[in-house]
Amino acid sequence: MKQVSASLSIEHSLRRSSFLLIAAVLAFAGLVPLIIANTTSAAQLTNRSATIDKSAVSSTDVEFRFDYDLINTTNTKAGIIYSFCDNPLGACTLPTGMNIQTSNDQVSDNGWPTDGTDFAADPEQTVGDCDSTTNAYQICYSRDEATATGVTGGPVDHTISGITAPSSAQTVYVRISIYSDNDYGSGDLLDQGTVAVAFVDQLTINGRVQERLNFCVAALDDAAAVPADVATCTAITDTNVDLGIIDETDVAISPVETTATNGSDDDYGILMLNTNATAGAVISYYPQADAGGTNQLYAFRVDNATCNALDTTLTDQCFQSAASSGAGTDISGAATEGFGLTVACVDTTLGTTDALVTVSNWYDGDDDDIANLADCDTADANNVEFGWNSSTSVAETLVSSTGVVDDEVVKVLFGAKAAPTTPSGEYTVVTNYIATVTF
Amino acid sequence: MKKVISAILGIAILQLPTFSAAQTPSSTNYSVPESSFSSGSNTESTSASFSAQGSAGDLGVGLANSGSYRAYAGPISPNEEYLELGVTLATINLDTPSGDPGILDIAETAYGFSTFYVRAYLNSSFAIQTISEPLTNESGDTIQPITTAGASVPGTEQFGINVVDNANPDVGSNPAPDPNASFANGSGAAGYSTVDQFQYNNGDIIAQNSGNPAWGQTNFTISYIANISAITEAGLYTMQHQLVAVSTF
């Protein structure tokens, strides 16, 4: 009985040992994948996204900014592998036309665990999981793991550039793998995740602003309001400025107040411009030659008169012209004669621009200023410096701008003074004005 | 001893599910990222001219949300990232109602529109950014963008866009979830989603998901308006409009 009992005890003991062995094997089998998984499986990066700075297909030098939250808080972060694929899972194929390896480069990285070094693009290589030599879809970035002392996780960003986009519209999935060292060992994989960007067609939006040039030349009475716009200016039919009687005592400057005896018309000249020329405008002028005259054809002269070849002559029927150089000519001197033109000011009160600002020194009067004045069309006896384009029919610039001109009015005054020897006669000159705009 | 054995067996049994959880059926030659056994579901169908994810004949498909839970009913589960941005390739001439085509006018607003769609798949969020300079001519002059949402004012130099159905001018459409709001949640972003109010800042988000998560396909219409003033420089103004989808997973 005792022996039987012992036998049963042994059998029972063996059965229990078998159960223990089976249980241990099962338990170990269950724990093995857990142990392995804990050493090789990576956590999923959260809040992960990618932002590109160009979305058109075939764009070059595309910049990718990756944002994500690092899950691992216990290891150094020293390596990143990016795989650019046409799908988020499975075999990775680089989208057609895409080139990520030739020019990719580090731009910035922020928020990463403290490290004295930034990430840098590795050359094509086969090191650990980084096999960019074989895989055209892969690029690898690393930094000095020896000095990587920080171990925190949380939000980080990494920006790279130099990527060439696919040649057709499609979504590109970028698989991101973070490593604790810079030799990309499989056992050093920390976190990973996939982001997506879309390369798409561009929209082309068009609208044309038509070129516009509205220019008007007119004679305006001193008492009249400046025309509100170029159309109103164009409706003015008066183009004559009459200085009336010119003598040797004073300079006659338009507008010359009309009296019962002087024959003047109290007019002055205006040049009104409106243009949307992007590169600006130039208003120039030239006197029209007296076709029937001789010598000094562009001077203020009696029609068809024969003048001396030298315009310094004070006894012919051609006024001595003011200079088109320096500060111009003061024609107020005694015993001299002179004729010229000056830009009194540019009236900018009608439009929205103050663009016509440049003028030659010999056309800006005594004050060297063409800025808007309250009433710059009033003749000023002290304004006696004039200029004149007398030597050629080539147009000479009066004023110019570097941009759009909106209803600006150039006020042009004429001045003349006779010498005691200046012959009598009806003196005249026709001036032509040209507005040249550059779109 | 029985307790010890039971404990060990218990541990073993508890570990067993880790073998198969979240695994994707695959072999060297194939993988099945998602599978279902139902009458008409498929993860994705594509051809040269279309792409779709869909299901049919299932008892329930969709997202259910509350403050404390979220459930995705139906055969498609969010196990992989997905994003699709479709821009209809087009050249849009901005026209006035009574003027010549493509000619901007000081008296009337010129406008036009284009379309795009976003398809997200249970992403945390998506945002559509505009990353282009406003209308610019050959000399580098730009039509001044409306930097803070405002109305269209003829005679004042303005360029702006929005993604809603406008009355003045009569252009655009509201964001359209496809097939309806139960299946997609895209909407216009602040500054670009008010009727008759236009805005443009390079880098702005013009559209995004209105709920969390972002999902489904939403079709958008971008309305473009332009006004010029008396001093708007002449030229052919062009904008190569690029949209960028930023999806967070």
Side-chain angles (χ1 to χ4, degrees), chain A residues 16 23 26-27 29-30 33-34 47-49 53 55-56 171 194 200 202-209 212 276 278 352, chain B residues 8 15 19 81 83 85 88 90 92 94 102 104 114 131 139 141 230 232 234-235 237-243 249:
Chain A
R16 189 163 52 192
L26 284 171
L34 191 64
N47 291 321
R48 60 193 186 278
S49 66
D53 69 341
S55 65
T171 299
T194 300
V200 294
Q202 289 183 99
L203 298 164
T204 302
I205 321 301
N206 290 326
R208 173 176 285 281
V209 177
R212 184 181 71 249
N276 60 359
T278 186
T352 58
Chain B
I8 294 173
Q15 300 305 317
F19 286 112
E81 296 77 6
L83 170 68
L85 172 63
T88 305
I92 300 105
L94 302 182
L104 307 184
S114 65
I131 58 165
S139 300
D141 305 306
T232 300
Y237 287 81
T238 295
M239 175 184 188
Q240 300 293 340
H241 198 186
Q242 292 190 55
L243 300 175
F249 299 97

Side-chain angles (χ1 to χ4, degrees), chain A residues 218-224 236-245 252-269 412 414:
Chain A
L220 195 67
D221 189 273
D222 185 27
I236 298 172
T237 57
D238 186 1
T239 57
N240 292 314
V241 175
D242 197 326
L243 297 173
I245 296 173
I253 303 173
S254 63
V256 177
E257 191 73 34
T258 305
T259 69
T261 57
N262 71 356
S264 63
D265 62 3
D266 201 20
D267 282 356
Y268 63 98
V412 178
F414 299 89

Side-chain angles (χ1 to χ4, degrees), chain B:
Chain B
M1 183 56 73
K2 285 183 178 177
K3 289 182 179 177
V4 173
I5 294 172
S6 297
I8 294 173
L9 283 171
I11 292 171
I13 292 168
L14 283 173
Q15 300 305 317
L16 288 175
T18 61
F19 286 112
S20 58
Q23 295 298 303
T24 296
S26 65
S27 74
T28 306
N29 299 316
Y30 82 98
S31 71
V32 183
E34 295 182 15
S35 59
S36 67
F37 300 93
S38 58
S39 60
S41 299
N42 67 322
T43 301
E44 185 163 14
S45 302
T46 59
S47 75
S49 56
F50 82 95
S51 176
Q53 286 182 312
S55 63
D58 300 302
L59 294 177
V61 178
L63 169 68
N65 254 333
S66 79
S68 56
Y69 80 94
R70 175 181 299 161
Y72 305 101
I76 299 175
S77 59
N79 75 332
E80 67 182 53
E81 296 77 6
Y82 187 84
L83 170 68
E84 189 176 342
L85 172 63
V87 177
T88 305
L89 180 64
T91 296
I92 300 105
N93 289 321
L94 302 182
D95 299 332
T96 57
S98 58
D100 292 329
I103 305 298
L104 307 184
D105 193 288
I106 196 169
E108 292 182 298
T109 298
Y111 53 87
F113 68 92
S114 65
T115 60
F116 72 93
Y117 72 87
V118 183
R119 195 151 67 105
Y121 182 26
L122 303 177
N123 308 342
S124 295
S125 66
F126 74 78
I128 303 300
Q129 270 185 302
T130 176
I131 58 165
S132 303
E133 293 297 324
L135 286 170
T136 304
N137 74 2
E138 61 277 10
S139 300
D141 305 306
T142 59
I143 302 290
Q144 288 298 312
I146 305 171
T147 56
T148 302
S152 172
V153 181
T156 300
E157 191 171 299
Q158 292 179 318
F159 172 73
I161 67 174
N162 70 18
V163 293
V164 292
D165 186 10
N166 303 287
N168 184 26
D170 185 8
V171 62
S173 297
N174 289 326
D178 187 9
N180 56 51
S182 297
F183 293 87
N185 61 357
S187 67
Y192 298 90
S193 56
T194 303
V195 173
D196 295 342
Q197 298 285 298
F198 302 88
Q199 179 172 309
Y200 192 81
N201 293 295
N202 188 0
D204 272 2
I205 294 172
I206 64 171
Q208 59 195 14
N209 54 299
S210 59
N212 194 7
W215 73 328
Q217 175 173 326
T218 304
N219 301 316
F220 292 90
T221 298
I222 307 178
S223 298
Y224 302 86
I225 64 109
N227 290 304
I228 61 171
S229 72
I231 60 172
T232 300
E233 294 85 350
L236 174 61
Y237 287 81
T238 295
M239 175 184 188
Q240 300 293 340
H241 198 186
Q242 292 190 55
L243 300 175
V244 167
V246 180
S247 185
T248 301
F249 299 97

Side-chain angles (χ1 to χ4, degrees), chain A residues 130-386:
Chain A
C130 174
D131 190 7
S132 52
T133 303
T134 304
N135 302 319
Y137 59 77
Q138 200 175 64
I139 52 177
C140 309
Y141 280 73
S142 64
R143 60 179 183 171
D144 185 357
E145 64 181 33
T147 60
T149 56
V151 293
T152 57
V156 298
D157 66 66
H158 184 213
T159 303
I160 62 175
S161 63
I163 306 298
T164 299
S167 55
S168 62
Q170 63 183 285
T171 299
V172 176
Y173 296 90
V174 186
R175 305 175 191 178
I176 306 166
S177 300
I178 312 295
Y179 290 80
S180 61
D181 66 9
N182 56 15
D183 58 9
Y184 310 103
S186 297
D188 299 319
L189 176 62
L190 301 176
D191 303 332
Q192 59 185 4
T194 300
V195 294
V197 295
F199 289 94
V200 294
D201 290 318
Q202 289 183 99
L203 298 164
T204 302
I205 321 301
N206 290 326
R208 173 176 285 281
V209 177
Q210 291 180 299
E211 294 77 5
R212 184 181 71 249
L213 170 60
N214 296 319
F215 183 50
C216 166
V217 177
L220 195 67
D221 189 273
D222 185 27
V226 177
D229 51 41
V230 177
T232 306
C233 174
T234 304
I236 298 172
T237 57
D238 186 1
T239 57
N240 292 314
V241 175
D242 197 326
L243 297 173
I245 296 173
I246 302 169
D247 60 28
E248 70 276 19
T249 57
D250 294 306
V251 179
I253 303 173
S254 63
V256 177
E257 191 73 34
T258 305
T259 69
T261 57
N262 71 356
S264 63
D265 62 3
D266 201 20
D267 282 356
Y268 63 98
I270 60 170
L271 318 172
M272 191 167 192
L273 180 64
N274 181 299
T275 180
N276 60 359
T278 186
V282 173
I283 297 178
S284 56
Y285 87 104
Y286 66 91
Q288 187 168 305
D290 178 2
T294 303
N295 297 324
Q296 302 182 54
L297 298 179
Y298 307 103
F300 186 51
R301 70 198 315 280
V302 173
D303 193 26
N304 296 328
T306 297
C307 296
N308 194 289
L310 298 174
D311 72 349
T312 54
T313 302
L314 303 179
T315 57
D316 61 4
Q317 289 184 306
C318 291
F319 267 67
Q320 186 174 350
S321 297
S324 59
S325 62
T329 302
D330 177 351
I331 64 172
S332 64
T336 63
E337 67 177 17
F339 175 83
L341 171 156
T342 188
V343 175
C345 70
V346 179
D347 189 332
T348 58
T349 61
L350 303 165
T352 58
T353 60
D354 185 10
L356 291 172
V357 293
T358 303
V359 65
S360 299
N361 189 26
W362 50 96
Y363 290 120
D364 62 6
D366 294 50
D367 58 1
D368 299 328
D369 184 11
I370 61 167
N372 182 42
L373 303 175
D375 188 17
C376 74
D377 49 301
T378 299
D380 183 352
N382 296 318
N383 194 15
V384 292
E385 283 185 1
F386 292 86

